[in-house]
Each structure stands twice: as structure tokens, then as C-alpha cells.
Amino acid sequence: MEMYEGETLSITITGHSLGAALALLVANEITTRVPEVPSVAVFSFGGPKVGNKAFGDKITAQGVKVLRIVNSQDVITRVPGMFVSEELEQTIRNSKIGGVLDMFDDNTPLAYSHVGAELRVDTKMSPFLKPDADMACCHDLEAYLHLVDGFLASNCPFRANAKRSLARLMQDQSANVKKLYISKAKALSLNLERQGSFSMSLERQGSFSMSGCLPSPS
């Protein structure tokens, strides 16, 4: 704020897993302790519940904008809490007995709850990941970024023109990638290696250079 004094500023904090929880705590710390703080936003990936409802209300009242990116198959996003499944909890809240949960929130200040708006992605929507991908894959940051890249809207097919490279996902989560794509990826990788060798010889001649990353099939 001192370095860019006089300019219109904003602060964006992001994190994954434990980092997502810390991002919320940092946002709370900044907006509580820093006078005349600029607008603060939090983007969290695969984060657990951090505080109770009073904490969430405090964050909101301080003007912090929070977007939680949640994978439906990621169990980390469901804890700690009374119900393991967020979907079940939301169904109950929308039912005739939803008032019971509201009463539980009011009378049990230690009950954990999420903060901010939710962007829900789903491993099963990816044409490249196995629908039964394991727990580690469903919580993996690269898998999250892959799912966000292909997100159009809830219950919509994976975006056909998604452009994020799948090289890192192939490297870290190859066991959870569909076999059909693995064979295609190997062919792509081989072609890229050949093209890379060709481009290196041309690069020495000052002609051009090309990236060696593995592109999305689209």
C-alpha cells in the first residue's frame, strides 16, 4: 500500500487445501488490522471449513469477497462439520426440517460452516479423468485447475476448447487418467519431441522456436 500509494488497489489472496484455509485467515487479519485497507478477495481451491457461522458473517461484513472452488468428489471440502456431504446438508436446509439446522447453528457456536460463494466442479465431467479417480486426484491442485479450465456451467459438458496443458496432470495423476487418452498423450509427446528436435535445428539458424508443452487434445 505504501509502494503504490495514490493508486486504486485491490488485494487478492489464493490458496489450496491448507493454503485455502490460511488465505481466509490472512484476509480476516488484513481487513481487521490494516486501516483503510483496499478491497480484498479470496480464491480458495479445495479448502476445508475454517470457522463457525459468526466467523463467516464477520468476513462478509468486512467486505471480503470469497470464491470457493470445490470438487464434488473432494472430501476435504466437507470437513469439519456435522454432515459429511454438503449436498445432504443443503437438501435438509431446503426441506421442512431445515429450521433444525438453523437452530443448531444458532445454539452451537462451534459448528463449522463455509464462507462466500461456491464454484462447484466435478471430476466426472472431465473427458480425460477416470470417473472413479482416487481421493488424492480429486484433491490435487492441478486437477482442480484442469476442471476449472473446462468449466462452462453446472451440469454442462466439459468445455471443448479448453486450452490448459495436461502435461502436469499426466505426470502427477497418470493412474487416474483414462487409458485412451494416455496412448494419445504418448503419441502427442513423441510428435512434440520430434518437432522439438526439428525446431532446435531451425532455432540455431535463427528461424523460430516452439514450446515443448503437451497441449490439450482440443
Side-chain angles (χ1 to χ4, degrees), residues 4 21 33 52 55 81 105 107 125 141 143 168 179 193 205:
Y4 297 101
R33 300 176 61 89
N52 60 10
F55 173 75
D105 290 338
N107 297 322
M125 300 302 289
L141 178 57
R168 181 69 180 272
K179 291 182 179 180
E193 286 176 6
Q205 301 172 24

Side-chain angles (χ1 to χ4, degrees), residues 23-53:
L24 270 179
L25 296 176
V26 169
N28 177 59
E29 181 81 1
I30 291 175
T31 52
T32 301
R33 300 176 61 89
V34 179
E36 299 181 5
V37 67
S39 61
V40 176
V42 174
F43 291 89
S44 73
F45 294 84
K49 299 173 184 178
V50 177
N52 60 10
K53 187 173 183 297

Side-chain angles (χ1 to χ4, degrees), residues 70-73 120-126 147 151 158:
V70 174
N71 184 354
S72 293
Q73 279 71 49
R120 182 168 290 272
V121 294
D122 193 326
T123 302
K124 294 179 181 179
M125 300 302 289
S126 169
L147 294 173
F151 182 84
F158 202 80

Side-chain angles (χ1 to χ4, degrees), residues 24-213:
L24 270 179
L25 296 176
V26 169
N28 177 59
E29 181 81 1
I30 291 175
T31 52
T32 301
R33 300 176 61 89
V34 179
E36 299 181 5
V37 67
S39 61
V40 176
V42 174
F43 291 89
S44 73
F45 294 84
K49 299 173 184 178
V50 177
N52 60 10
K53 187 173 183 297
F55 173 75
D57 292 342
K58 180 174 180 283
I59 289 282
T60 302
Q62 289 166 183
V64 178
K65 304 297 183 184
V66 180
L67 179 64
R68 298 184 298 109
I69 296 89
V70 174
N71 184 354
S72 293
Q73 279 71 49
D74 186 1
V75 297
I76 301 301
T77 63
R78 305 174 189 174
V79 295
M82 179 179 177
F83 293 97
V84 174
S85 169
E86 277 188 75
E87 292 84 354
L88 174 59
E89 182 176 342
Q90 192 59 49
T91 299
I92 294 176
R93 287 189 186 278
N94 294 335
S95 69
K96 294 179 180 179
I97 61 172
V100 175
L101 287 187
D102 295 333
M103 185 174 64
F104 178 81
D105 290 338
D106 294 336
N107 297 322
T108 313
L110 295 181
Y112 284 85
S113 64
H114 278 302
V115 182
E118 177 187 274
L119 172 63
R120 182 168 290 272
V121 294
D122 193 326
T123 302
K124 294 179 181 179
M125 300 302 289
S126 169
F128 312 115
L129 294 174
K130 295 178 180 177
D132 59 345
D134 61 32
M135 186 185 300
C137 178
C138 292
H139 186 61
D140 183 79
L141 178 57
E142 191 60 35
Y144 263 94
L145 296 175
H146 163 66
L147 294 173
V148 170
D149 184 43
F151 182 84
L152 278 174
S154 300
N155 300 319
C156 281
F158 202 80
R159 186 164 66 96
N161 59 343
K163 295 181 179 179
R164 183 175 180 82
S165 169
L166 299 180
R168 181 69 180 272
L169 195 63
M170 285 288 301
Q171 177 182 328
D172 297 345
Q173 299 295 339
S174 59
N176 293 291
V177 177
K178 292 178 180 177
K179 291 182 179 180
L180 175 64
Y181 180 63
I182 290 178
S183 60
K184 291 182 179 180
K186 288 179 179 178
L188 277 170
S189 181
L190 182 61
N191 288 337
L192 282 169
E193 286 176 6
R194 289 173 177 171
Q195 292 174 10
S197 300
F198 176 67
S199 66
M200 283 179 64
S201 63
L202 291 177
E203 194 174 324
R204 292 192 187 97
Q205 301 172 24
S207 299
F208 73 100
S209 62
M210 65 176 291
S211 171
C213 69

